[in-house]
Amino acid sequence: MPADPLQSAGSPPRSPTSPPPRGPSTSAVEVRRSARRSRTVSAYREGDRTIVLIPARMSGAEEQRWVSVMLDKLAAQESKRMLGDAELTERAERLSELYFDGRARPASVRWVTNQNTRWGSCTPAEGSIRLSHRLQGMPEYVVDYVLVHELAHLLVPGHGPRFWRLLEAYPRTERARGYLEGVVAADRLPHLPAARGE
């Protein structure tokens, strides 16, 4: 059976993006406003909390947007630092337990550098899952989505309705798909010269 790529063809339509769900590994978020900050936003981990520092004049909508951006940045930095092949395999096993009652059992899970048009692929007959190295450094929930997608292929090889019903178990599916679609769209944009003064 040929490897099954993770790509947008045959995928159901996306719904509007919603705020990021809070998963078990997500810490509480504390927003601190500062009158001394005029433009910069920063964030850091403090114990089991994430502290986001923003300018005092920022609106509620801007605050929500920047909190989401900074959480993604922190998650991407942590993902880049932590996940080797061994950690990737452990993560896949945890995700299988969490979303598929442990029924999806990969024989191997590893990063590969030869997948430039796919985020991941799975060969169900061999139980092998491969993730593109381009995912390294992306937010954890995006890497988890690709892993869950490929784990689901160990149970259902194609992209039919049964496959998409399996993916509904992962609460960040739409958000992760939106992130990956944004990356693909940005790659297709021409690189314009910087505006004057930048």
Side-chain angles (χ1 to χ4, degrees):
M1 185 176 293
D4 194 0
L6 169 63
Q7 43 197 356
S8 58
S11 304
R14 288 182 53 235
S15 61
T17 303
S18 55
R22 296 275 297 279
S25 63
T26 306
S27 61
V29 177
E30 178 184 328
V31 177
R32 295 181 185 168
R33 290 176 173 263
S34 169
R36 289 180 300 189
R37 282 181 178 266
S38 59
R39 299 174 65 171
T40 60
V41 177
S42 62
Y44 60 92
R45 305 284 194 208
E46 187 177 88
D48 63 348
R49 293 180 303 162
T50 301
I51 311 300
V52 181
L53 307 171
I54 64 171
R57 62 174 174 73
M58 199 172 271
S59 70
E62 288 174 315
E63 174 185 320
Q64 186 175 12
R65 182 174 72 83
W66 275 106
V67 165
S68 180
V69 166
M70 298 312 288
L71 287 175
D72 280 355
K73 277 191 170 184
L74 283 175
Q77 290 166 1
E78 290 161 0
S79 175
K80 196 168 197 173
R81 279 198 305 268
M82 296 177 352
L83 293 180
D85 285 353
E87 291 87 358
L88 201 60
T89 300
E90 289 172 16
R91 193 174 199 91
E93 289 168 357
R94 283 198 307 271
L95 291 167
S96 177
E97 287 293 333
L98 192 57
Y99 298 111
F100 304 129
D101 298 319
R103 292 179 295 128
R105 296 190 182 99
S108 67
V109 184
R110 61 192 173 93
W111 296 107
V112 294
T113 57
N114 62 351
Q115 289 189 158
N116 293 317
T117 59
R118 303 181 286 189
W119 297 115
S121 61
C122 173
T123 307
E126 298 173 3
S128 62
I129 290 174
R130 296 160 302 281
L131 264 58
S132 171
H133 72 287
R134 295 180 304 141
L135 288 164
Q136 291 174 326
M138 290 190 188
E140 286 182 4
Y141 75 89
V142 176
V143 176
D144 284 355
Y145 163 71
V146 178
L147 278 172
V148 169
H149 185 111
E150 301 308 338
L151 285 166
H153 279 311
L154 294 177
L155 304 173
V156 179
H159 283 109
R162 192 166 148 245
F163 172 82
W164 293 110
R165 277 196 299 275
L166 277 176
L167 271 196
E168 287 172 5
Y170 183 62
R172 299 186 183 188
T173 290
E174 292 303 323
R175 182 170 168 77
R177 285 173 55 76
Y179 185 99
L180 292 171
E181 287 170 8
V183 170
V184 170
D187 283 347
R188 290 180 182 152
L189 291 173
H191 294 284
L192 300 175
R196 190 177 306 218
E198 288 187 1

